Amino acid sequence: MPTVNILAMLPLKVDFSYPNLLPIPVWQTIPGLGQRNRHIGFNWGPGELLLYETRYPNTGATCITTPSALCPFMYIVRNDEDIYSPVLRKLLNESHSIFVGLQKSEEEASSKTHKAQLVRVSKKYRSVLQACMEEMNSLAVPIRDPTQSAKRSEQLSFLSAMELCWNLCEILFIEAATAGSLLILLLDWVRLHVNEVDRVYQDVIQSDNPTQHDRFWDAITGFVLQGRMEEARQLLAKETAASVSTRSMCRVLDELLKNMPIFSSAGSQTLTEFELKWQSWQEKCARHLQSGTFSSSPQMEAICKVLLGDEDALLEKKELMITWYHFLVSQLLFTHPTVKPTEMHSYAQSCLDIFTTGDSSSEPLDNILLAAFELDIHQVIKEFSFGSNMREYLLLEYASGLFSHHSLWQLGVDYLDYCPESGRVYLELLMERIPLTTEKKALKALRICEQRQMTEQVRSICKTMAMQALRNGRLGSALSWSIRAKDAAFATLISDQFLKDYCERGKFSDLDLIDNLGPAMLLSDRLTFLGKYREFHRLYSEQQFEEAACLLLLLMTARIAPCSFWLTLLLDALPLLGQHQVIFSAEQTYQLMRCLEDRMEAKREPIVSDVSQSSQDKSLEKTKVDMLRLALARNLARAIVKEGTLQA
């Protein structure tokens, strides 16, 4: 079922057909699956389900392993597929900006400006809805695929229904219109959402002889039913100019339309004054009807009856109004223009019953509008969805829908931030399920989690990215992510990979990262060794031989290097042992000899011996060990002579 929103761009679970918004799931057969009486496999993803036919027959007897037994098709079943539409994505992005702006300005708004601010925000929401529909209409080129064409039509009709309900809620709940001004706003509401008369007018006005068009009077009556008296008079003027026989009647009708009182909340007119003018005007209409002024013109007589609010006359024009709520507003316009909000429900229910005679079933959209006219905002929302904390429930549902999209998931974060009860839990669970397909996306997710002190999620993201980098052979990136995750075990593993890579290539990769480990090297002993070993190379390259020798000896005696790396450390001592001046003292040389013997003893242990080592490798290693022993013996002799000379 698609997820959509209302009142604060919140989600509703409804069908896309309009006005029949039935929340009934549609069963769909997926071809090619299960046709061979085999089990169907599935795999969940964020907002979607992968279905495929398995090798296992439905009987459960044996497993068929031949490739021909497999179905070559897989299907992805998506929830909220509509958010993949570029137009709807723009709607979601723009509505997100409005939502965040409202939350930030809510605390700053005073009680005096609160209502005005909410009205502005509501109109902004509706404007982005209208812009979305206009863009969809502009893209409404002929589509060969009937499924796609139907989908676009459904989206348009659904957005129209959304805006219809939103607009009514804005009038009744946000603006809280009072008697007099209420009907004016409802007229604007009807004009915006029911435009049948505009289509009729275009057909009439584009004809060769508009006054002879068979729908000429329908266009005039349609304008009257929507309170668009000036447009009705302009069209009536064509009849006045074209027909001498009806000219006097046209002028009388024009005068009645011109003088129809319209309440204005901006002026100093009171409701009582307006009602007196209204009664006087209707009495004039009644006199003309009774005196037979329009008796020779059935069309003008019907319009005069409409002006008097005659129910039968209004119902005769049912096809021009299309909907019961248009009928409601038109009836109130000519019978009770100063209707109060609290009186709307009884009128609405009556008009619905009259307009849908013979059809006892009401549509979900009708129930929503009736609940709004009853001024029951909770029932309005319940007609769309359900939940204990309605606002939070709808925000959670909407945000969860956004998280299923590869780029819109970031918008969902802000909605969850304003869900005090369950928003944090939802966010933690959803952040752990975001597919980290790129490092850029991972950094965005990481920043979101760090800003909200979501420690476990930070570690999870970093560990996932570290593993991905390691699998792709990017050791520097893997080490960086493991340090951010504060994962000592993984940092140790990657450090070993760095050392292995050094042994194979004879140099380090990602030197900038290793040189700038800083306090991060304390995360694990192996990482400490990696950082200090790199420091040894730096000291040696700067010809600080004595400092380099002390550090190298410390690394060997501390036993924090892996056993496989001991020989490499000892071989690093060879250039220092061969220097013209004596670098290692006699005591240090003895320590180096002890390290070499310990290493050889460890190699002889069956647990650590490398049975796969070739004879050539063994011969090469023996040569290296012999070179080390010779260099150590010579250095020991030189150190003893030097130290004996100094003592003498």
Side-chain angles (χ1 to χ4, degrees):
M1 302 289 286
T3 298
V4 294
N5 55 0
I6 193 78
L7 295 180
M9 266 329 195
L10 308 180
L12 326 168
K13 299 262 183 174
V14 292
D15 189 83
F16 264 129
S17 57
Y18 167 73
N20 181 19
L21 299 176
L22 292 175
I24 300 175
V26 179
W27 291 94
Q28 182 175 358
T29 302
I30 301 178
L33 293 180
Q35 293 181 351
R36 304 182 185 184
N37 198 31
R38 294 193 175 88
H39 289 296
I40 298 300
F42 67 90
N43 189 25
W44 291 103
E48 59 191 26
L49 176 68
L50 174 68
L51 296 177
Y52 55 91
E53 187 174 282
T54 68
R55 298 177 178 180
Y56 299 97
N58 219 7
T59 59
T62 57
C63 176
I64 302 174
T65 57
T66 58
S68 61
L70 294 174
C71 176
F73 300 106
M74 294 187 295
Y75 294 84
I76 295 177
V77 181
R78 278 202 179 103
N79 181 31
D80 301 334
E81 188 177 354
D82 300 293
I83 65 175
Y84 288 84
S85 162
V87 178
L88 290 180
R89 284 181 60 194
K90 185 183 295 185
L91 169 65
L92 298 175
N93 277 299
E94 292 183 2
S95 62
H96 163 264
S97 300
I98 299 172
F99 172 83
V100 174
L102 175 61
Q103 307 308 311
K104 291 179 179 178
S105 61
E106 181 68 17
E107 297 178 358
E108 303 172 2
S110 64
S111 58
K112 293 182 179 179
T113 61
H114 183 72
K115 177 181 175 180
Q117 181 193 35
L118 289 181
V119 172
R120 286 196 301 272
V121 170
S122 180
K123 291 184 184 298
K124 283 183 182 178
Y125 272 126
R126 291 200 297 111
S127 68
V128 297
L129 274 173
Q130 291 165 0
C132 180
M133 288 187 285
E134 288 175 5
E135 186 169 353
M136 278 189 173
N137 276 318
S138 67
L139 297 174
V141 295
I143 301 176
R144 293 182 180 179
D145 186 354
T147 303
Q148 290 298 320
S149 179
K151 184 119 183 119
R152 177 174 292 176
S153 177
E154 288 173 351
Q155 289 175 342
L156 274 169
S157 61
F158 179 75
L159 290 175
S160 178
M162 257 180 81
E163 211 274 331
L164 172 77
C165 297
W166 195 314
N167 194 351
L168 181 59
C169 290
E170 178 185 295
I171 293 169
L172 297 174
F173 301 115
I174 303 177
E175 292 199 47
T178 56
S181 59
L182 173 61
L183 187 64
I184 303 302
L185 293 174
L186 289 176
L187 280 170
D188 291 337
W189 174 61
V190 164
R191 292 165 187 166
L192 180 63
H193 297 95
V194 183
N195 50 19
E196 175 65 19
V197 63
D198 295 288
R199 287 192 287 268
V200 174
Y201 172 73
Q202 288 300 320
D203 291 341
V204 169
I205 206 68
Q206 290 174 7
S207 64
D208 295 334
N209 191 348
T211 58
Q212 297 302 314
H213 195 281
D214 57 356
R215 303 210 67 184
F216 174 75
W217 289 103
D218 282 344
I220 296 177
T221 307
F223 284 138
V224 170
L225 289 169
Q226 289 192 356
R228 298 159 67 175
M229 302 308 176
E230 286 302 316
E231 291 165 273
R233 291 177 62 208
Q234 290 174 11
L235 199 54
L236 183 62
K238 295 185 178 295
E239 174 68 12
T240 306
S243 174
V244 177
S245 60
T246 61
R247 187 167 299 167
S248 60
M249 289 186 291
C250 289
R251 287 173 178 170
V252 173
L253 182 59
D254 180 75
E255 189 71 17
L256 292 176
L257 297 177
K258 177 183 177 182
N259 294 330
M260 178 180 175
I262 301 296
F263 181 80
S264 175
S265 57
S268 58
Q269 186 183 42
T270 65
L271 278 176
T272 304
E273 291 173 341
F274 171 75
E275 288 175 343
L276 289 173
K277 288 183 179 179
W278 172 263
Q279 291 173 6
S280 175
W281 174 78
Q282 279 222 318
E283 288 171 1
K284 186 180 293 185
C285 293
R287 284 197 300 271
H288 281 294
L289 187 63
Q290 292 169 2
S291 63
T293 303
F294 307 110
S295 58
S296 61
S297 174
Q299 298 91 344
M300 282 190 267
E301 187 175 51
I303 292 175
C304 188
K305 289 180 179 179
V306 167
L307 296 180
L308 285 168
D310 184 277
E311 188 175 289
D312 293 334
L314 287 168
L315 284 174
E316 285 179 6
K317 304 302 178 181
K318 185 176 178 179
E319 74 281 356
L320 295 176
M321 293 178 277
I322 301 177
T323 65
W324 65 267
Y325 45 88
H326 186 342
F327 176 70
L328 165 67
V329 176
S330 296
Q331 187 183 59
L332 290 173
L333 175 62
F334 300 112
T335 59
H336 194 181
T338 57
V339 62
K340 299 175 183 177
T342 53
E343 299 170 333
M344 286 299 303
H345 180 255
S346 59
Y347 283 105
Q349 186 64 63
S350 175
C351 287
L352 177 60
D353 295 339
I354 294 172
F355 204 79
T356 58
T357 303
D359 186 4
S360 58
S361 61
S362 60
E363 305 292 351
L365 178 60
D366 299 335
N367 296 333
I368 294 169
L369 297 177
L370 284 175
F373 283 125
E374 198 171 354
L375 303 181
D376 189 348
I377 184 61
H378 293 289
Q379 187 62 32
V380 170
I381 301 175
K382 285 179 181 178
E383 289 293 338
F384 283 107
S385 190
F386 58 89
S388 53
N389 184 336
M390 195 62 64
R391 177 184 181 276
E392 177 150 333
Y393 167 78
L394 295 174
L395 283 174
L396 292 172
E397 282 289 292
Y398 183 53
S400 299
L402 291 174
F403 263 88
S404 67
H405 192 270
H406 65 89
S407 65
L408 294 174
W409 63 272
Q410 297 174 80
L411 307 184
V413 174
D414 288 316
Y415 289 100
L416 293 176
D417 282 343
Y418 293 100
C419 297
E421 293 183 15
S422 304
R424 173 82 177 198
V425 175
Y426 266 66
L427 184 59
E428 289 175 352
L429 294 173
L430 289 168
M431 290 303 296
E432 290 178 352
R433 288 162 176 75
I434 294 176
L436 303 176
T437 51
T438 64
E439 192 157 308
K440 182 179 179 181
K441 188 173 182 179
L443 289 172
K444 290 179 180 178
L446 189 65
R447 184 166 57 253
I448 288 169
C449 294
E450 288 176 340
Q451 289 171 348
R452 291 157 180 80
Q453 289 80 48
M454 296 164 58
T455 308
E456 289 302 317
Q457 284 67 36
V458 168
R459 294 186 64 183
S460 175
I461 292 170
C462 292
K463 289 170 73 172
T464 300
M465 295 305 297
M467 183 61 72
Q468 287 184 13
L470 184 60
R471 287 172 179 167
N472 294 328
R474 296 184 291 114
L475 294 180
S477 178
L479 181 59
S480 176
W481 283 110
S482 65
I483 291 172
R484 294 189 73 165
K486 296 182 172 59
D487 189 332
F490 204 74
T492 298
L493 174 65
I494 299 173
S495 299
D496 286 341
Q497 290 292 325
F498 264 102
L499 296 175
K500 180 182 178 182
D501 186 61
Y502 172 78
C503 292
E504 293 174 352
R505 300 172 55 197
K507 62 180 181 179
F508 282 113
S509 58
D510 299 286
L511 283 179
D512 289 341
L513 175 63
I514 301 174
D515 286 341
N516 294 282
L517 284 174
M521 73 170 63
L522 301 177
L523 183 61
S524 74
D525 289 344
R526 198 59 50 80
L527 190 57
T528 301
F529 170 78
L530 179 64
K532 290 297 182 182
Y533 185 58
R534 168 58 189 154
E535 186 179 345
F536 158 75
H537 280 275
R538 183 180 58 78
L539 291 171
Y540 183 85
S541 64
E542 294 174 357
Q543 298 187 358
Q544 300 181 43
F545 298 132
E546 292 184 0
E547 291 84 350
C550 290
L551 181 55
L552 182 64
L553 188 61
L554 178 63
L555 291 176
M556 284 189 282
T557 55
R559 303 297 173 94
I560 58 175
C563 181
S564 59
F565 205 73
W566 288 0
L567 183 59
T568 302
L569 286 175
L570 289 165
L571 290 172
D572 283 332
L574 277 176
L576 295 173
L577 293 170
Q579 292 292 322
H580 178 69
Q581 65 185 69
V582 178
I583 304 298
F584 291 103
S585 66
E587 179 61 29
Q588 289 175 325
T589 307
Y590 281 126
Q591 289 179 314
L592 289 173
M593 289 178 170
R594 170 59 62 185
C595 290
L596 177 59
E597 293 307 315
D598 288 346
R599 194 269 175 186
M600 298 308 296
E601 184 66 26
K603 282 291 290 182
R604 285 190 287 271
E605 292 287 338
I607 297 176
V608 297
S609 61
D610 188 359
V611 295
S612 63
Q613 191 176 24
S614 65
S615 58
Q616 184 177 359
D617 291 338
K618 290 179 180 179
S619 175
L620 179 60
E621 182 174 320
K622 184 177 182 302
T623 301
K624 292 177 180 179
V625 171
D626 290 343
M627 289 174 57
L628 274 170
R629 284 176 172 158
L630 179 60
L632 287 169
R634 287 177 176 174
N635 189 80
L636 180 60
R638 293 169 61 199
I640 291 173
V641 171
K642 177 183 177 182
E643 292 169 9
T645 303
L646 292 175
Q647 289 177 1

